[in-house]
Amino acid sequence: MTLSDKPLTTESFSTVFSSALRGQPCAVVGLGDEPEPLPVASWTAEADADDLAILAHCDGPTLDIGCGPGRMAAALADLGHLVLGIDVVHEAVGQTRERGVDALRRDVLADRLPGEGMWRTALLADGNIGIGGDPEALLARAGRLLGPGGRVVVELAPPGVRRSSAWARLQCDDTLSRPFRWAVLGIDDIEPVAAAVGLVVQDLAEHGGRWVAVLTSQESSSP
């Protein structure tokens, strides 16, 4: 993807991400040496075999955190789960609802959510462990959303990827989003991060080159 040489304007994250969800080529800048194109085409498609393998780790009523356009939430509903998607971007919530799935515009770190303390699964797919730039804070929040015996299903970067946190922006053509904090967390670092917030790794799995961890509370994992 070649970024525009036009003078850049700045808009909110929601505005720029909405443009991406409507099909405008978009990249994230600030997380690496080069802009990284957003894989929006895969997010707006139907769930594939690897997605379904990841979703097989979900159990019961599931909260899809950062649901985007609803690919994973819709697949969960098709599998018979009660599911709610949440996202901070209105366009994402709208596209999720168009798939026939309940979704709300909510910030997982800042807003009160339906069913707090009762969800069986909190899902963080497609790199959403990066939300807020602080994996400990995000996993602690996800843990508080769960009922007894609940789990966090989190997709992670592959082995060898070092943990990082940075200010990033989205760029669609000549428009930049305002900076937002984002983290990258790999499979190598999940155990100490989970332990710091009272969670333990119950399972690690790889599906088509994508890595996922299943986390539960230390209390529910005790003999």
Side-chain angles (χ1 to χ4, degrees), residues 22-105:
R22 290 191 290 264
Q24 186 172 352
C26 191
V28 59
V29 295
L31 295 183
D33 294 335
E34 299 292 335
E36 300 176 16
L38 290 182
V40 176
S42 67
W43 296 341
T44 55
E46 299 299 314
D48 62 19
D50 295 331
D51 292 327
L52 295 176
I54 290 172
L55 295 179
H57 296 282
C58 297
D59 174 56
T62 298
L63 182 68
D64 184 2
I65 299 170
C67 64
R71 172 183 101 262
M72 301 291 260
L76 281 165
D78 288 344
L79 291 168
H81 292 262
L82 185 155
V83 58
L84 174 67
I86 61 168
D87 204 286
V88 297
V89 178
H90 186 271
E91 179 71 19
V93 170
Q95 291 191 21
T96 299
R97 290 175 176 172
E98 287 172 4
R99 294 180 188 250
V101 183
D102 289 336
L104 294 173
R105 188 168 178 262

XYZ file of all heavy atoms in Angstrom, residues 22-105:
598
model
N -15.758 0.655 5.417
C -16.573 0.851 4.218
C -15.787 0.593 2.943
O -16.279 0.827 1.842
C -17.166 2.264 4.221
C -18.242 2.456 5.296
C -19.002 3.761 5.103
N -18.164 4.912 5.410
C -18.153 5.538 6.592
N -18.916 5.092 7.591
N -17.382 6.590 6.787
N -14.532 0.132 3.081
C -13.784 -0.320 1.913
C -12.625 0.547 1.476
O -11.937 0.212 0.505
N -12.363 1.648 2.179
C -11.231 2.487 1.801
C -9.934 1.867 2.312
O -9.838 1.506 3.484
C -11.384 3.893 2.380
C -10.306 4.861 1.906
C -10.601 6.291 2.345
O -11.672 6.570 2.870
N -9.647 7.188 2.139
N -8.914 1.701 1.452
C -7.639 1.135 1.924
C -7.080 1.940 3.096
O -7.095 3.172 3.077
C -6.736 1.231 0.687
C -7.678 1.229 -0.463
C -8.887 1.989 0.006
N -6.590 1.229 4.075
C -6.158 1.880 5.311
C -4.982 1.120 5.891
O -4.885 -0.109 5.736
C -7.321 1.901 6.303
S -7.061 2.936 7.760
N -4.095 1.829 6.560
C -2.933 1.209 7.199
C -2.788 1.764 8.603
O -3.268 2.859 8.921
C -1.661 1.481 6.400
N -2.128 0.986 9.447
C -1.775 1.460 10.782
C -0.309 1.865 10.751
O 0.534 1.154 10.210
C -2.052 0.387 11.855
C -1.284 -0.884 11.606
C -1.758 0.938 13.250
N -0.024 3.029 11.275
C 1.345 3.540 11.303
C 1.760 3.737 12.760
O 0.951 4.079 13.617
C 1.478 4.864 10.520
C 1.210 4.646 9.040
C 0.530 5.933 11.054
N 3.027 3.465 13.040
C 3.562 3.678 14.370
C 3.875 2.412 15.131
O 4.511 2.466 16.175
N 3.434 1.249 14.633
C 3.705 -0.004 15.330
C 4.943 -0.715 14.798
O 5.428 -1.659 15.412
C 2.500 -0.954 15.225
C 1.223 -0.482 15.906
C 0.144 -1.548 15.789
C 1.470 -0.141 17.375
N 5.427 -0.281 13.657
C 6.618 -0.874 13.066
C 7.331 0.156 12.222
O 6.952 1.338 12.181
N 8.362 -0.302 11.531
C 9.132 0.621 10.699
C 8.341 1.095 9.481
O 8.597 2.175 8.958
C 10.429 -0.053 10.238
C 11.379 -0.351 11.387
O 11.289 0.349 12.419
O 12.185 -1.285 11.260
N 7.406 0.277 9.027
C 6.617 0.597 7.845
C 5.130 0.530 8.180
O 4.727 -0.198 9.100
C 6.922 -0.390 6.699
C 8.368 -0.373 6.230
C 8.742 0.921 5.531
O 7.820 1.585 4.987
O 9.936 1.276 5.545
N 4.299 1.268 7.436
C 2.846 1.124 7.626
C 2.405 -0.314 7.382
O 2.939 -0.996 6.504
C 2.262 2.072 6.573
C 3.364 3.043 6.271
C 4.641 2.279 6.407
N 1.431 -0.766 8.157
C 0.905 -2.117 8.016
C -0.543 -2.039 7.533
O -1.408 -1.522 8.246
C 0.963 -2.859 9.345
C 2.359 -2.999 9.928
C 2.355 -3.662 11.303
O 1.325 -4.273 11.661
O 3.369 -3.541 12.000
N -0.835 -2.538 6.329
C -2.221 -2.490 5.843
C -3.165 -3.239 6.778
O -2.844 -4.319 7.273
C -2.132 -3.189 4.481
C -0.703 -3.040 4.059
C 0.097 -3.101 5.325
N -4.312 -2.649 7.039
C -5.315 -3.331 7.846
C -5.974 -4.431 7.023
O -6.387 -4.182 5.885
C -6.393 -2.346 8.305
C -6.025 -1.299 9.343
C -7.268 -0.479 9.685
C -5.457 -1.929 10.595
N -6.132 -5.630 7.578
C -6.747 -6.726 6.826
C -8.266 -6.665 6.861
O -8.960 -7.608 7.266
C -6.208 -7.965 7.549
C -6.033 -7.521 8.965
C -5.606 -6.070 8.890
N -8.808 -5.535 6.423
C -10.248 -5.312 6.546
C -11.040 -6.321 5.722
O -12.127 -6.748 6.127
C -10.599 -3.863 6.141
C -12.107 -3.642 6.158
C -9.916 -2.884 7.088
N -10.502 -6.731 4.576
C -11.236 -7.682 3.736
C -11.524 -8.978 4.482
O -12.612 -9.554 4.358
C -10.457 -7.972 2.454
N -10.569 -9.434 5.289
C -10.801 -10.660 6.056
C -11.770 -10.411 7.206
O -12.565 -11.286 7.572
C -9.481 -11.228 6.582
O -8.903 -10.365 7.541
N -11.734 -9.209 7.797
C -12.645 -8.909 8.900
C -14.094 -8.816 8.437
O -15.006 -9.146 9.194
C -12.254 -7.597 9.575
C -10.909 -7.625 10.247
C -10.191 -8.731 10.618
C -10.121 -6.496 10.617
N -9.001 -8.360 11.199
C -8.933 -6.992 11.207
C -10.298 -5.116 10.506
C -7.935 -6.136 11.699
C -9.311 -4.270 10.993
C -8.145 -4.783 11.581
N -14.308 -8.337 7.210
C -15.672 -8.164 6.709
C -16.186 -9.398 5.980
O -17.357 -9.442 5.591
C -15.755 -6.943 5.773
O -14.793 -7.084 4.722
C -15.483 -5.645 6.533
N -15.340 -10.407 5.800
C -15.759 -11.658 5.166
C -16.459 -12.553 6.189
O -16.656 -12.173 7.343
C -14.551 -12.365 4.567
N -16.825 -13.746 5.753
C -17.357 -14.735 6.678
C -16.202 -15.411 7.422
O -15.068 -15.446 6.931
C -18.172 -15.789 5.928
C -19.372 -15.214 5.185
C -20.359 -14.538 6.121
O -20.685 -15.129 7.178
O -20.797 -13.411 5.800
N -16.470 -15.936 8.595
C -15.450 -16.643 9.365
C -14.931 -17.841 8.579
O -15.704 -18.576 7.953
C -16.027 -17.103 10.697
N -13.599 -18.026 8.600
C -13.002 -19.154 7.885
C -12.703 -20.296 8.861
O -13.055 -20.237 10.047
C -11.749 -18.728 7.118
C -10.630 -18.199 8.014
O -10.646 -18.476 9.242
O -9.718 -17.529 7.492
N -12.051 -21.335 8.362
C -11.803 -22.524 9.185
C -10.943 -22.198 10.407
O -11.171 -22.750 11.503
C -11.150 -23.618 8.347
N -9.956 -21.329 10.243
C -9.112 -20.975 11.389
C -9.890 -20.167 12.419
O -9.709 -20.351 13.638
C -7.882 -20.193 10.916
C -6.968 -21.026 10.035
O -6.933 -22.256 10.210
O -6.296 -20.442 9.165
N -10.755 -19.257 11.947
C -11.622 -18.533 12.877
C -12.466 -19.510 13.691
O -12.589 -19.386 14.914
C -12.565 -17.599 12.115
C -11.868 -16.446 11.431
O -10.854 -15.969 11.966
O -12.347 -16.024 10.365
N -13.065 -20.479 13.005
C -13.940 -21.435 13.686
C -13.165 -22.280 14.689
O -13.685 -22.630 15.761
C -14.642 -22.320 12.661
C -15.621 -21.588 11.739
C -16.175 -22.550 10.694
C -16.751 -20.941 12.530
N -11.908 -22.595 14.366
C -11.082 -23.355 15.318
C -10.819 -22.530 16.572
O -10.820 -23.061 17.695
C -9.778 -23.765 14.657
N -10.588 -21.235 16.404
C -10.408 -20.354 17.568
C -11.699 -20.268 18.373
O -11.701 -20.361 19.605
C -9.934 -18.963 17.110
C -8.496 -19.043 16.579
C -10.029 -17.946 18.258
C -8.011 -17.776 15.921
N -12.829 -20.137 17.689
C -14.109 -20.006 18.382
C -14.506 -21.280 19.108
O -15.322 -21.228 20.042
C -15.196 -19.593 17.386
C -15.016 -18.213 16.752
C -16.137 -17.931 15.774
C -14.932 -17.131 17.815
N -13.939 -22.401 18.706
C -14.233 -23.654 19.411
C -13.752 -23.618 20.860
O -14.199 -24.427 21.684
C -13.598 -24.834 18.673
N -12.859 -22.674 21.188
C -12.400 -22.532 22.571
C -13.397 -21.745 23.428
O -13.241 -21.711 24.653
C -11.046 -21.827 22.606
C -9.938 -22.585 21.945
N -9.297 -23.646 22.549
C -9.367 -22.444 20.716
C -8.371 -24.124 21.733
N -8.385 -23.407 20.614
N -14.370 -21.096 22.791
C -15.369 -20.330 23.538
C -16.407 -21.274 24.121
O -16.742 -22.305 23.540
C -16.046 -19.308 22.624
S -14.939 -18.055 21.951
N -16.928 -20.889 25.291
C -17.883 -21.728 26.004
C -19.050 -20.870 26.466
O -18.857 -19.895 27.196
C -17.193 -22.390 27.205
C -18.170 -23.160 28.071
O -18.866 -24.044 27.544
O -18.235 -22.878 29.284
N -20.247 -21.202 26.016
C -21.440 -20.530 26.504
C -21.560 -19.081 26.062
O -20.954 -18.661 25.063
N -22.348 -18.284 26.801
C -22.550 -16.878 26.438
C -21.210 -16.147 26.341
O -20.392 -16.196 27.265
C -23.410 -16.349 27.593
C -24.144 -17.553 28.090
C -23.178 -18.682 27.965
N -21.021 -15.462 25.224
C -19.702 -14.891 24.902
C -19.813 -13.406 24.590
O -20.678 -12.978 23.814
C -19.085 -15.630 23.694
O -18.902 -17.009 24.035
C -17.737 -15.030 23.315
N -18.917 -12.633 25.178
C -18.780 -11.209 24.885
C -17.606 -11.043 23.926
O -16.466 -11.377 24.274
C -18.523 -10.435 26.173
C -18.407 -8.917 26.044
C -19.753 -8.301 25.667
C -17.889 -8.307 27.342
N -17.882 -10.551 22.734
C -16.853 -10.330 21.717
C -16.362 -8.892 21.860
O -17.040 -7.952 21.441
C -17.434 -10.598 20.327
C -16.399 -10.486 19.215
O -15.213 -10.228 19.514
O -16.779 -10.654 18.038
N -15.185 -8.734 22.456
C -14.635 -7.417 22.775
C -13.873 -6.884 21.562
O -12.930 -7.499 21.097
C -13.704 -7.511 23.998
C -14.491 -7.997 25.221
C -13.042 -6.159 24.285
C -13.613 -8.357 26.398
N -14.284 -5.706 21.070
C -13.710 -5.173 19.839
C -14.189 -5.981 18.651
O -13.390 -6.440 17.845
N -15.501 -6.110 18.532
C -16.081 -7.034 17.551
C -15.868 -6.620 16.108
O -16.032 -7.439 15.200
C -17.571 -7.218 17.822
S -18.568 -5.707 17.627
N -15.502 -5.342 15.862
C -15.329 -4.911 14.482
C -16.621 -5.115 13.713
O -17.726 -4.922 14.249
N -16.548 -5.531 12.440
C -17.757 -5.700 11.637
C -18.515 -6.990 11.899
O -19.440 -7.320 11.146
C -17.230 -5.637 10.202
C -15.826 -6.128 10.292
C -15.315 -5.671 11.630
N -18.137 -7.757 12.924
C -18.992 -8.828 13.404
C -18.760 -10.212 12.844
O -19.590 -11.105 13.048
N -17.630 -10.429 12.198
C -17.360 -11.757 11.621
C -17.388 -12.857 12.681
O -18.071 -13.870 12.521
C -15.988 -11.714 10.932
C -15.455 -13.042 10.448
C -14.048 -12.883 9.846
N -12.991 -13.290 10.750
C -12.276 -12.478 11.517
N -12.513 -11.193 11.549
N -11.308 -12.947 12.281
N -16.652 -12.664 13.763
C -16.558 -13.691 14.793
C -17.864 -13.783 15.586
O -18.312 -14.887 15.934
C -15.392 -13.400 15.722
C -14.032 -13.341 15.029
S -13.475 -14.945 14.426
C -12.315 -15.414 15.711
N -18.486 -12.664 15.873
C -19.741 -12.679 16.623
C -20.820 -13.427 15.847
O -21.578 -14.217 16.420
C -20.183 -11.248 16.925
N -20.898 -13.189 14.540
C -21.900 -13.874 13.727
C -21.654 -15.373 13.693
O -22.591 -16.174 13.753
C -21.908 -13.299 12.318
N -20.384 -15.765 13.606
C -20.064 -17.191 13.599
C -20.427 -17.833 14.933
O -20.939 -18.959 14.982
C -18.591 -17.398 13.281
N -20.175 -17.131 16.027
C -20.559 -17.646 17.338
C -22.069 -17.844 17.426
O -22.553 -18.857 17.947
C -20.100 -16.691 18.436
C -18.633 -16.766 18.843
C -18.250 -15.544 19.663
C -18.341 -18.044 19.625
N -22.825 -16.864 16.931
C -24.284 -16.992 16.943
C -24.733 -18.191 16.115
O -25.630 -18.940 16.521
C -24.921 -15.707 16.425
N -24.090 -18.390 14.973
C -24.431 -19.543 14.133
C -24.130 -20.861 14.842
O -24.782 -21.879 14.575
C -23.660 -19.478 12.812
C -24.171 -18.392 11.890
O -25.280 -17.885 12.116
O -23.439 -18.030 10.937
N -23.137 -20.840 15.724
C -22.781 -22.037 16.486
C -23.688 -22.253 17.691
O -23.523 -23.235 18.428
C -21.319 -21.948 16.946
C -20.261 -22.036 15.841
C -18.890 -21.636 16.376
C -20.212 -23.446 15.246
N -24.618 -21.335 17.908
C -25.577 -21.499 18.987
C -25.264 -20.752 20.266
O -25.961 -20.926 21.268
N -24.230 -19.915 20.250
C -23.886 -19.141 21.443
C -24.795 -17.920 21.567
O -25.138 -17.282 20.568
C -22.436 -18.653 21.367
C -21.410 -19.724 21.458
N -20.760 -20.039 22.628
C -20.909 -20.561 20.509
C -19.903 -21.031 22.402
N -19.972 -21.357 21.125
N -25.135 -17.574 22.785
C -25.614 -16.235 23.053
C -24.386 -15.333 22.976
O -23.375 -15.595 23.637
C -26.245 -16.162 24.434
C -26.914 -14.850 24.839
C -27.989 -15.117 25.895
C -25.926 -13.814 25.382
N -24.457 -14.266 22.180
C -23.264 -13.449 21.952
C -23.644 -11.974 21.892
O -24.708 -11.606 21.386
C -22.528 -13.888 20.663
C -23.432 -13.789 19.452
C -21.248 -13.090 20.450
N -22.774 -11.156 22.426
C -22.897 -9.706 22.324
C -21.564 -9.167 21.846
O -20.511 -9.475 22.413
C -23.247 -9.090 23.688
C -23.266 -7.556 23.743
C -24.407 -7.000 22.890
C -23.379 -7.058 25.187
N -21.605 -8.348 20.813
C -20.408 -7.662 20.355
C -20.364 -6.251 20.906
O -21.402 -5.588 21.011
N -19.168 -5.799 21.261
C -18.995 -4.403 21.651
C -17.838 -3.813 20.860
O -16.858 -4.491 20.562
C -18.752 -4.222 23.167
C -17.476 -4.947 23.621
C -19.963 -4.673 23.958
C -17.036 -4.551 25.033
N -17.963 -2.548 20.528
C -16.913 -1.843 19.801
C -17.115 -0.352 20.027
O -18.246 0.092 20.285
C -16.979 -2.163 18.299
C -15.637 -1.952 17.592
O -15.250 -0.792 17.381
O -14.975 -2.954 17.280
N -16.035 0.415 19.931
C -16.133 1.863 20.129
C -16.540 2.592 18.862
O -16.817 3.790 18.898
C -14.805 2.452 20.659
C -14.463 1.882 22.026
C -13.662 2.231 19.665
N -16.583 1.887 17.736
C -16.844 2.517 16.438
C -18.269 2.221 15.994
O -18.662 1.054 15.874
C -15.825 2.035 15.386
C -16.123 2.634 14.025
C -14.412 2.399 15.829
N -19.041 3.270 15.731
C -20.446 3.124 15.364
C -20.613 2.269 14.108
O -21.520 1.417 14.039
C -21.065 4.509 15.152
C -22.534 4.484 14.900
N -23.070 4.370 13.636
C -23.595 4.543 15.764
C -24.387 4.371 13.714
N -24.733 4.473 14.988
N -19.778 2.484 13.113
C -19.876 1.712 11.875
C -19.681 0.224 12.134
O -20.372 -0.623 11.546
C -18.839 2.204 10.867
C -18.825 1.458 9.535
C -20.024 1.752 8.657
O -20.701 2.787 8.873
O -20.283 0.943 7.749
N -18.749 -0.122 13.013
C -18.519 -1.528 13.341
C -19.748 -2.139 13.998
O -20.165 -3.256 13.655
C -17.305 -1.656 14.258
N -20.335 -1.417 14.932
C -21.536 -1.904 15.599
C -22.663 -2.082 14.586
O -23.384 -3.090 14.591
C -21.946 -0.941 16.722
C -23.327 -1.286 17.275
C -20.905 -0.963 17.834
N -22.805 -1.117 13.681
C -23.843 -1.217 12.664
C -23.663 -2.422 11.759
O -24.635 -3.128 11.445
N -22.436 -2.669 11.323
C -22.191 -3.809 10.451
C -22.413 -5.134 11.183
O -22.879 -6.112 10.595
C -20.788 -3.738 9.861
C -20.615 -2.603 8.863
C -19.314 -2.685 8.081
O -18.700 -3.732 7.966
N -18.896 -1.541 7.538
N -22.079 -5.166 12.475
C -22.348 -6.369 13.263
C -23.847 -6.617 13.361
O -24.333 -7.746 13.177
C -21.733 -6.247 14.666
O -20.320 -6.097 14.539
C -22.030 -7.482 15.512
N -24.607 -5.574 13.620
C -26.065 -5.723 13.698
C -26.646 -6.156 12.357
O -27.626 -6.920 12.329
C -26.684 -4.406 14.160
C -26.390 -4.068 15.615
C -26.925 -2.691 15.966
N -26.735 -2.394 17.382
C -26.970 -1.191 17.915
N -27.399 -0.193 17.150
N -26.771 -0.992 19.210
N -26.059 -5.679 11.259
C -26.544 -6.096 9.940
C -26.373 -7.589 9.720
O -27.080 -8.198 8.900
C -25.815 -5.319 8.845
C -26.245 -3.861 8.743
C -25.390 -3.060 7.787
O -24.490 -3.665 7.143
O -25.621 -1.847 7.667
N -25.449 -8.199 10.442
C -25.280 -9.660 10.368
C -26.279 -10.387 11.268
O -26.239 -11.620 11.375
C -23.857 -10.040 10.780
C -22.759 -9.553 9.836
C -21.409 -9.995 10.363
N -20.283 -9.438 9.662
C -19.461 -10.129 8.865
N -19.679 -11.422 8.661
N -18.427 -9.552 8.289
N -27.136 -9.640 11.942
C -28.147 -10.245 12.795
C -27.693 -10.537 14.199
O -28.308 -11.340 14.907
N -26.614 -9.875 14.647
C -26.037 -10.125 15.968
C -26.190 -8.874 16.837
O -26.001 -7.751 16.356
C -24.546 -10.514 15.852
C -23.966 -10.842 17.213
C -24.374 -11.694 14.900
N -26.507 -9.062 18.098
C -26.592 -7.933 19.021
C -25.214 -7.304 19.208
O -24.209 -8.011 19.375
C -27.115 -8.383 20.382
C -28.595 -8.741 20.352
O -29.305 -8.232 19.463
O -29.019 -9.524 21.216
N -25.169 -5.989 19.185
C -23.908 -5.268 19.383
C -24.213 -3.909 19.984
O -25.266 -3.318 19.725
C -23.150 -5.117 18.071
N -23.263 -3.413 20.794
C -23.393 -2.119 21.435
C -22.117 -1.313 21.236
O -21.021 -1.881 21.181
C -23.644 -2.282 22.936
C -24.961 -2.932 23.359
C -24.950 -3.169 24.868
C -26.148 -2.078 22.961
N -22.282 0.006 21.177
C -21.120 0.893 21.124
C -20.679 1.159 22.559
O -21.305 1.944 23.279
C -21.472 2.190 20.407
C -20.270 3.094 20.145
C -20.632 4.198 19.182
N -19.517 5.088 18.951
C -19.329 6.259 19.552
N -20.212 6.689 20.454
N -18.283 7.002 19.285
